[in-house]
Amino acid sequence: VCSSDLTRAFFVSRSNQQLTEDQLGCTLANAELVWNPCKVPVDFAAPWPSAPFRIAVVGRLAPDAKSCDVILHALSRVQWGETKPQVSFYGDGPNRRTIRQLKEQLHLDHVVFEGHSPDILKIWEQNHLLLLPSRYEGRPVAVVEAMQCSRPCLVTYGSGGDEILEHEKTGFICPAPTVPLLTEALENAWRQRSRWQAMGQGAASAIRSLLPKDPCREFAHKLFKIFGEKHD
């Protein structure tokens, strides 16, 4: 496969495109980025939750992608100070039993498992920050939805989320999903928690300037255009 063989190649993040090009050993000149649809209305304004601070991990319980193990080990090392934030995992997955066991092993009494929640808006009515230090991703819908709800996010480089966030302006970017680096990133974010609300407002403005009003319709138009070009 090389660039000349493709009419179009669609990706949801630059990191996915780069990885594919590296694996193929060629540049995909016909590559284009598209957006996944989200469940949050474009103009939704989520009120800022009252104290105490709460952190949400939104995604399936699958350590290979979502770094659930790294999150728990980092949470056991972070120096929070006098008070710890509640950290809530929203999601289900193949490793739910072992992840819960690791939480108990590490004595993380401030970590809770809420299971899968289809009500995204309710999650962000209760939480202040998204924690998603993925080992690999496309462009996580959870990050886009959190930003739409005016919440800052802590993500990793190469996860797609880093492509739509500005470090320490609209969120936090951890260099890699390792326990020492995530511990450091969490402590940095926690020191700046008084800025989270302003950062979240900036995140909402940033994502609304990037996200199409109807990603599905926009992608469909691209496909119809290709179909028409091929059959003219």
Side-chain angles (χ1 to χ4, degrees):
V1 178
C2 65
S3 181
S4 61
D5 298 323
L6 301 173
T7 302
R8 289 288 193 282
F10 293 103
F11 298 89
V12 294
S13 70
R14 288 190 294 272
S15 58
N16 279 176
Q17 178 183 340
Q18 183 65 60
L19 178 59
T20 301
E21 291 176 338
D22 290 347
Q23 292 173 333
L24 295 175
C26 68
T27 298
L28 300 175
N30 293 330
E32 190 173 348
L33 296 181
V34 295
W35 290 80
N36 284 316
C38 299
K39 296 181 180 179
V40 178
V42 174
D43 57 352
F44 178 73
W48 188 249
S50 57
F53 284 99
R54 296 182 59 177
I55 296 173
V57 182
V58 181
R60 67 188 186 280
L61 300 181
D64 61 324
K66 303 296 186 180
S67 303
C68 309
D69 53 328
V70 175
I71 292 172
L72 293 176
H73 280 289
L75 290 174
S76 72
R77 298 188 183 190
V78 172
Q79 300 298 310
W80 300 107
E82 294 183 1
T83 59
K84 296 179 182 179
Q86 178 174 304
V87 180
S88 302
F89 280 74
Y90 295 88
D92 201 353
N95 295 92
R96 56 185 175 275
R97 181 177 61 84
T98 54
I99 291 300
R100 288 171 180 264
Q101 288 177 344
L102 181 58
K103 176 251 184 182
E104 296 298 331
Q105 179 183 330
L106 295 171
H107 307 291
L108 296 171
D109 55 2
H110 62 303
V111 172
V112 297
F113 293 89
E114 302 286 358
H116 174 69
S117 175
D119 192 342
I120 300 300
L121 305 186
K122 184 176 181 180
I123 291 175
W124 295 117
E125 287 172 357
Q126 300 174 350
N127 291 276
H128 302 80
L129 175 82
L130 172 68
L131 174 59
L132 197 65
S134 305
R135 287 184 165 103
Y136 63 87
E137 286 278 5
R139 185 193 291 123
V141 173
V143 172
V144 175
E145 291 173 340
M147 293 176 70
Q148 285 182 284
C149 291
S150 303
R151 302 296 183 264
C153 308
L154 195 166
V155 301
T156 40
Y157 278 109
S159 66
D162 59 305
E163 298 173 14
I164 54 178
L165 286 171
E166 287 190 74
H167 182 54
E168 296 189 341
K169 291 185 178 180
T170 57
F172 301 92
I173 303 175
C174 178
T178 68
V179 174
L181 290 175
L182 184 57
T183 301
E184 183 179 347
L186 278 166
E187 290 179 344
N188 177 47
W190 187 242
R191 286 192 296 269
Q192 300 188 54
R193 60 190 181 277
S194 63
R195 298 182 56 232
W196 287 4
Q197 184 172 6
M199 293 173 73
Q201 292 169 348
S205 296
I207 198 62
R208 286 169 186 155
S209 70
L210 297 171
L211 183 66
K213 289 186 177 181
D214 191 339
C216 291
R217 181 181 293 273
E218 182 176 281
F219 185 42
H221 284 168
K222 293 178 185 294
L223 295 178
F224 283 130
K225 184 178 180 181
I226 294 169
F227 180 84
E229 288 175 351
K230 290 183 68 175
H231 290 79
D232 283 342

